[in-house]
């Protein structure tokens, strides 16, 4: 590469970073000015001031997060028929388009850096020699901090080769290969600079229906899903910013691994939750044994929960005597039954309908009490009747009677009672076997599991909340106030000259959130009834039917990006269990409104590892998606046997061999990340041994991902990638669950460089 070309790009990149610094400084000055303002005494004035402050703070955060590799490429467009003189400044040359993480404009509102998500940037990922899309050459910039280390060109127009002597500059895969060979850090990096055509097409797929992305290990499913979320927020900002985007992953470890990707793309407001965090107030990180998880994940739990709630609405079998301010009244079962049936006919959730039940019961009891008093010679007017009704409402006996007939319930109490009361469960499930019921039995104080979360959500739907008349009136008033605030905000934005990065809706949303100090994403995560504009589901092959029901409730418009691999389904609750495919899994929830796309290139796993992993998968009948590995790799799979061939090694000998295998691999490459994947029953012993040998270099589970060496189970490792992997007792990993072959297949495809199998 000519030195002058490298120098030119370094000058351009320095100018772009200078513009980034100027925007940061300008935003910081605006923030300081807003904070100095005396907003007066009105709540609205203080709300507007603080809303502006939070918007400027968010903008500063965005500008800081995109600092690494701000610009990573350049398009040189084919010359028009009528020749135009090239501009002396590359950033203002109409034939050149620089592509980066966000869009930047100069003081004259001229675009100097094109956001990678903009339609004009799609050719950076889609152009080929056969279909150049109007592009003469594509240049990729390799960066370290703010320095350009090298440039690599792909030339599509032969005239450039002849005229410019650039025949030595064609190096189309250099940037991709460099990225693939880069050592892992325990966190996923974005792939924005090296998105391939197949991936880009899926990322930019229109926002309609549900998109299912099937791909084998290493095909970039997770990266594609996250970049698609960033793209949709850019392309459909007005639609999605108010409702938000939810990203769902299988575990907290997985979310820790991917959490830096979206901020690096300029998106900081996305809600990210694991399957155990989808019900506010519950954070489950362990699951039931496979048979129990499978039962809890099945659709038959829907009818069970409905029956459980209905059974809490019951008519007493015998008359009851209640005392009201000294008067004793006999309450026949028919009185309670009439109030109960009136409430049930409304078809409202349990706790909401209870208000109707109580209202009718109190009215009837008040009339009965008044009739009894009149029979004793008392004269009652309307004011007396109001006092009597209050006496009835506050009577201890009446409260006990009504609560016995129709008790208000929380989802947590309903589920805990269902699990802890075998006789009640038996009444609700007369056709179940005792063995099946026993799968649900557990102490009342036991923590909720991952498979309980969708059941809590289902119960919340059936139970509902007790409506508050004052809250309803407040909501109506707030709706009208929002309309007025939007008109004021539009005028304020125009006066402040802030149209380029804030909308009236954003400003009002921030102002409305002033009292609680929460962002839209934080409020969405805390509100079970929040409906999102789009949902991204990763490792979707693991979801049960009940988890799908929950997620569809979170997005009634059914705008989903669903990524997964049928062959990697390994959890006991998976809807794919039993060999079912995507059509049988998503069809019941999306009907015909979904589309399947496949990723067919393996970017992570070198061929020397991918081949034996795929051979193992085929041997065990796993429905893998064939994928072509883009590189051969430098290390074949290494196999080590602990103990002798004639006698399998015990746990102690196996663990010693695993520690030695880790030491051997660290001798090959000291830096980079290494995962020790072990059977679940060996996790504690193996973690103690590895940490004991390698000290601060090693850790365990999600918290250990920040260490160079981490000990994980096969389930913990799903969706993650490492430079090297050591698998302890592969046969035990495969045997520890009904779909253990999938678990071992997952474990074998985590490394980007080296794989070691330690057998007994």
């Amino acid at each position: 590469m000519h030195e002058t070309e490298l120098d030119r790009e370094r000058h351009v990149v320095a100018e772009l970073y200078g513009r980034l610094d100027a925007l940061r400084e300008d935003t910081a000055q605006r923030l300081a000015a807003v904070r100095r303002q005396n907003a007066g005494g009105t709540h609205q004035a203080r709300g507007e001031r603080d809303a502006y402050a939070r918007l400027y703070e968010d903008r500063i955060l965005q500008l800081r997060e995109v600092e690494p590799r701000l610009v990573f490429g350049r398009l040189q467009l084919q010359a028009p028929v009528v020749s135009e003189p090239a501009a002396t400044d590359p950033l203002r040359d109409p034939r050149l388009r620089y592509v980066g993480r966000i869009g930047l404009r100069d003081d004259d509102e001229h675009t100097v850096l094109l956001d990678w998500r903009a339609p004009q940037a799609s050719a950076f990922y889609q152009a080929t020699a056969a279909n150049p899309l109007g592009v003469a050459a594509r240049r990729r910039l390799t960066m370290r901090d703010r320095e350009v280390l090298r440039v690599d060109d792909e030339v599509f127009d032969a005239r450039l080769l002849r005229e410019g002597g650039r025949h030595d500059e064609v190096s189309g895969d250099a940037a991709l290969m460099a990225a693939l060979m880069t050592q892992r850090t325990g966190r996923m990096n974005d792939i924005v600079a090296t998105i391939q055509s197949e991936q880009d097409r899926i990322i930019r797929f229109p926002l309609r229906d549900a998109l299912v992305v099937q791909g084998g290990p290493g095909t970039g499913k997770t990266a594609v899903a996250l970049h698609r979320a960033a793209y949709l927020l850019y392309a459909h900002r007005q639609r999605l910013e108010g409702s938000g985007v939810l990203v769902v992953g299988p575990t907290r470890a997985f979310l820790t691994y991917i959490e830096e990707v979206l901020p690096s793309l300029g998106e900081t407001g996305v809600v990210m939750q694991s399957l155990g965090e989808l019900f506010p107030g519950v954070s489950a990180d362990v699951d039931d044994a496979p048979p129990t998880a499978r039962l809890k994940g099945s659709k038959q739990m829907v009818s069970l929960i409905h029956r459980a709630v209905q059974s809490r609405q019951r008519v007493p079998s015998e008359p009851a005597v209640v005392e009201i301010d000294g008067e004793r009244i006999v309450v026949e079962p028919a009185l309670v039954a009439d109030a109960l049936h009136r409430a049930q006919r409304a078809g409202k959730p349990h706790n909401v309908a209870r208000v109707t039940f109580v209202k009718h019961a109190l009215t009837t009891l008040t009339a009965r009490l008044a009739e009894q008093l009149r029979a004793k010679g008392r004269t009652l007017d309307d004011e007396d009747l109001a006092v009597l009704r209050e006496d009835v409402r506050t009577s201890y006996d009446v409260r006990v009677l009504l609560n016995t007939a129709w008790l208000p319930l929380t989802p947590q109490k309903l589920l805990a009672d269902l699990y802890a009361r075998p006789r009640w469960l038996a009444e609700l499930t007369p056709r179940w076997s005792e063995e099946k019921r026993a799968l649900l039995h557990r102490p009342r104080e036991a923590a909720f599991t991952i498979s309980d979360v969708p059941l809590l959500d289902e119960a919340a739907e059936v139970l509902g909340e007790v409506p508050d008349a004052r809250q309803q009136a407040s909501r109506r008033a707030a709706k009208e106030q929002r309309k007025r605030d939007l008109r004021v905000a539009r005028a304020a934005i125009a006066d402040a000259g802030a149209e380029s990065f804030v909308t009236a809706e954003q400003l009002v949303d921030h102002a409305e959130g002033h009292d609680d100090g929460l962002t839209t994403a934080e409020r969405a995560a805390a509100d079970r009834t929040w409906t999102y504009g789009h949902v991204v589901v990763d490792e979707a092959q693991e979801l049960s039917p009940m988890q799908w029901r929950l997620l569809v409730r979170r997005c009634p418009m059914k705008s989903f990006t669903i990524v997964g691999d049928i062959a990697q389904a390994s959890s006991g609750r998976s809807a794919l269990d039993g060999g079912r495919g995507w059509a049988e899994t998503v069809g019941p929830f999306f009907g015909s409104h979904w589309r399947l796309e496949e990723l067919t290139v393996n970017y992570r796993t070198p061929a020397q590892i991918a081949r034996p992993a795929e051979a193992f998968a085929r041997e065990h009948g796993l429905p893998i998606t064939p994928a072509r590995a883009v590189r051969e790799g430098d290390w074949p799979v290494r196999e080590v046997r602990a103990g002798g061939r004639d006698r399998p090694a015990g746990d102690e000998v196996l663990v010693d061999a695993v520690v030695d295998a880790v030491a051997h691999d660290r001798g090959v490459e000291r830096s980079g990340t290494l995962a020790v994947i072990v059977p679940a029953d060996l996790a504690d012993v193996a973690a103690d041994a590895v940490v004991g040998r390698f000290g601060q270099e090693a850790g365990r589970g999600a918290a250990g991902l920040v260490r160079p060496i981490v000990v994980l189970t096969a389930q913990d490792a799903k969706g993650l990638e490492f430079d090297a992997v050591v698998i302890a007792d592969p046969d035990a990993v495969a045997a520890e669950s009904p779909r253990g072959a999938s678990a071992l297949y997952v474990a074998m495809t985590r490394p980007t460089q080296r794989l070691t199998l330690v057998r007994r």
Side-chain angles (χ1 to χ4, degrees):
M1 176 60 59
H2 301 299
E3 186 67 23
T4 54
E5 287 292 313
L6 185 59
D7 289 342
R8 178 185 297 181
E9 297 302 358
R10 285 173 173 167
H11 175 78
V12 169
V13 169
E15 188 174 347
L16 289 170
Y17 271 108
R19 181 58 183 164
L20 180 68
D21 292 338
L23 287 173
R24 287 174 177 167
E25 179 62 25
D26 177 70
T27 308
Q29 290 177 2
R30 288 172 182 257
L31 175 60
V34 166
R35 286 174 172 168
R36 288 195 300 266
Q37 287 179 3
N38 181 359
T42 69
H43 175 75
Q44 181 176 350
R46 292 194 300 272
E48 288 181 1
R49 178 198 62 194
D50 293 344
Y52 269 119
R54 291 185 63 189
L55 285 168
Y56 290 136
E57 290 167 353
D58 289 348
R59 177 63 168 168
I60 291 173
L61 176 62
Q62 180 196 47
L63 295 174
R64 184 172 68 242
E65 292 289 350
V66 299
E67 165 79 22
R69 294 176 291 133
L70 170 68
V71 54
F72 49 78
R74 189 192 79 177
L75 289 173
Q76 182 174 345
L77 305 182
Q78 291 177 345
V81 176
V82 179
S83 179
E84 297 179 7
T88 56
D89 185 348
L91 290 176
R92 287 152 189 86
D93 189 332
R95 301 176 186 176
L96 301 180
R97 290 178 182 168
Y98 283 86
V99 182
R101 295 175 177 276
I102 60 170
L104 295 179
R105 294 174 178 267
D106 61 16
D107 291 332
D108 298 325
E109 292 299 307
H110 174 77
T111 298
V112 292
L113 183 63
L114 196 60
D115 192 302
W116 68 275
R117 297 166 289 188
Q120 302 94 317
S122 63
F124 184 77
Y125 304 107
Q126 293 287 341
T128 64
N131 185 21
L133 301 176
V135 175
R138 171 170 52 210
R139 172 168 291 179
R140 299 183 189 272
L141 309 181
T142 301
M143 304 279 298
R144 183 178 59 207
D145 299 327
R146 294 191 171 197
E147 181 185 5
V148 182
L149 299 180
R150 60 177 289 171
V151 295
D152 296 284
D153 284 346
E154 293 172 86
V155 179
F156 304 133
D157 189 334
R159 290 176 297 178
L160 292 180
L161 296 175
R162 293 193 300 268
E163 297 169 4
R166 297 167 62 165
H167 55 280
D168 293 330
E169 299 175 12
V170 182
S171 183
D173 292 333
L176 174 62
M177 288 302 172
L180 296 179
M181 297 299 291
T182 300
Q183 290 180 339
R184 271 46 188 173
T185 63
R187 294 289 189 274
M188 174 179 272
N189 295 317
D190 66 79
I191 60 167
V192 66
T194 57
I195 293 171
Q196 302 301 294
S197 177
E198 179 183 67
Q199 298 170 325
D200 185 68
R201 178 174 53 80
I202 293 173
I203 289 170
R204 297 175 189 268
F205 195 82
L207 182 62
R208 64 171 186 267
D209 298 339
L211 177 64
V212 178
V213 183
Q214 161 71 28
T219 54
K221 298 183 299 297
T222 298
V224 166
L226 294 174
H227 286 69
R228 175 164 168 76
Y231 169 76
L232 292 176
L233 282 166
Y234 172 88
H236 303 277
R237 181 77 62 185
Q238 189 169 7
R239 171 178 169 180
L240 296 179
E241 187 142 52
S243 55
V245 172
L246 171 65
V247 175
V248 179
T251 63
R252 173 45 53 185
F254 177 84
L255 294 182
T256 300
Y257 176 67
I258 68 172
E259 64 185 357
E260 295 178 2
V261 174
L262 283 167
S264 75
L265 299 173
E267 300 297 343
T268 58
V270 174
V271 178
M272 302 182 73
Q273 292 182 322
S274 70
L275 292 171
E277 298 171 321
L278 290 170
F279 189 85
V282 174
S283 182
D285 55 6
V286 298
D287 207 1
D288 300 282
T292 301
R294 189 175 300 110
L295 174 59
K296 289 182 177 180
S298 67
K299 288 184 180 179
Q300 59 190 302
M301 295 300 294
V302 175
S303 58
L304 174 58
I305 289 171
H306 280 253
R307 293 196 302 274
V309 172
Q310 290 170 357
S311 73
R312 294 302 183 94
Q313 304 166 8
R314 52 180 179 261
V315 177
S317 58
E318 298 178 353
V321 178
V322 297
E323 183 174 321
I324 305 171
D325 197 23
E327 291 289 328
R328 296 169 65 84
I329 297 178
V330 177
V331 182
E332 299 291 340
L335 186 152
V336 177
D338 180 65
L340 190 145
H341 294 148
R342 284 173 178 263
Q344 289 175 334
R345 283 197 296 269
K348 295 179 180 178
H350 174 88
N351 290 330
V352 179
R354 183 182 180 275
V355 176
T356 303
F357 164 73
V358 170
K359 178 181 177 181
H360 283 295
L362 292 179
T363 298
T364 306
L365 286 172
T366 301
R368 181 77 59 84
L369 176 60
E371 180 183 350
Q372 187 168 304
L373 291 174
R374 288 191 181 104
K376 292 181 178 181
R378 285 190 53 179
T379 302
L380 302 172
D381 57 21
D382 290 344
E383 190 171 313
D384 294 326
L385 291 175
V387 174
L388 287 182
R389 184 180 179 86
E390 183 62 17
D391 289 342
V392 172
R393 189 187 68 81
T394 57
S395 164
Y396 174 79
D397 287 350
V398 171
R399 290 203 304 270
V400 170
L401 174 69
L402 298 184
N403 282 340
T404 301
W406 195 313
L407 186 69
L409 290 168
T410 66
Q412 291 89 335
K413 177 172 174 53
L414 179 75
L415 217 59
D417 285 350
L418 190 64
Y419 295 153
R421 295 173 55 185
R423 291 181 60 184
W424 183 36
L425 179 60
E427 292 173 4
L428 296 172
T429 58
R431 297 184 179 181
W432 285 21
S433 67
E434 283 298 326
E435 292 78 13
K436 187 174 180 179
R437 294 190 195 105
L439 294 175
L440 296 182
H441 181 66
R442 73 176 192 201
R444 191 182 306 276
E445 65 276 7
F448 289 114
T449 65
I450 294 172
S451 291
D452 286 327
V453 168
L455 304 185
L456 290 168
D457 197 71
E458 190 75 32
E461 283 291 303
V462 181
L463 293 171
E465 298 180 2
V466 178
D468 187 317
R470 288 175 297 181
Q471 289 179 350
Q472 290 178 334
S474 176
R475 290 192 195 101
R476 287 193 295 269
K479 192 173 182 179
E480 293 302 316
Q481 182 62 45
R482 180 178 175 83
K483 293 179 181 177
R484 294 190 291 270
D485 290 346
L486 284 170
R487 290 194 294 269
V488 174
R490 291 187 184 100
I493 290 169
D495 291 342
E499 298 95 328
S500 61
F501 70 91
V502 62
T503 66
E505 287 76 11
Q506 287 176 285
L507 183 61
V508 172
D509 286 342
H510 278 278
E512 288 176 347
H514 166 65
D515 290 339
D516 59 19
L518 299 177
T519 65
T520 299
E522 289 167 335
R523 290 199 299 276
D527 184 356
R528 191 196 70 82
T529 63
W530 189 280
T531 55
Y532 293 90
H534 191 76
V535 175
V536 176
V537 188
D538 206 340
E539 298 292 337
Q541 74 277 354
E542 301 297 349
L543 268 61
S544 70
M546 292 301 297
Q547 288 167 331
W548 280 115
R549 282 177 64 88
L550 180 155
L551 290 177
V552 170
R553 273 198 290 272
R554 295 292 190 272
C555 185
M557 295 295 291
K558 299 185 180 180
S559 177
F560 276 68
T561 298
I562 300 163
V563 298
D565 179 16
I566 293 174
Q568 294 187 55
S570 58
S571 71
R573 62 182 180 270
S574 174
L576 288 167
D577 195 27
R580 300 197 302 164
W582 288 117
E584 293 82 1
T585 301
V586 302
F589 303 98
F590 297 94
S592 61
H593 300 287
W594 66 280
R595 176 168 173 173
L596 176 65
E597 295 286 338
E598 289 190 313
L599 292 169
T600 60
V601 180
N602 186 336
Y603 298 101
R604 177 180 67 222
T605 317
Q608 288 197 72
I609 295 175
R611 282 193 295 268
E614 290 183 357
F616 169 83
R618 292 191 183 94
E619 179 184 342
H620 288 79
L622 299 180
I624 65 172
T625 300
R628 176 181 59 84
V630 298
R631 58 197 171 95
E632 181 65 20
D634 296 325
W635 293 274
V637 176
R638 180 171 179 259
E639 294 207 27
V640 176
R641 186 168 294 276
R645 283 188 173 273
D646 298 332
R647 188 175 65 180
D651 287 352
E652 184 176 348
V653 174
L654 174 68
V655 170
D656 286 344
V658 168
V659 172
D660 290 342
V662 173
H664 177 274
D665 191 89
R666 300 305 278 179
V668 174
E669 180 59 68
R670 181 68 181 174
S671 56
T673 58
L674 184 150
V676 182
I677 300 179
V678 300
D681 60 2
L682 201 63
D684 291 335
V685 175
D688 290 344
V690 172
V691 172
R693 174 73 174 271
F694 298 98
Q696 294 299 312
E697 278 193 88
R700 178 185 175 181
L705 290 174
V706 297
R707 308 293 177 100
I709 304 170
V710 60
V711 179
L712 303 166
T713 65
Q715 183 64 27
D716 291 336
K718 290 187 72 67
L720 311 184
E721 61 181 42
F722 306 90
D723 292 294
V725 167
V726 173
I727 301 178
D729 197 355
D731 294 336
V733 171
E736 67 182 351
S737 69
R739 295 183 60 84
S742 291
L744 182 54
Y745 175 57
V746 169
M748 292 177 69
T749 53
R750 297 308 93 196
T752 65
Q753 305 293 340
R754 299 175 301 282
L755 172 63
T756 302
L757 305 177
V758 181
R759 301 187 183 276
R760 287 186 186 270

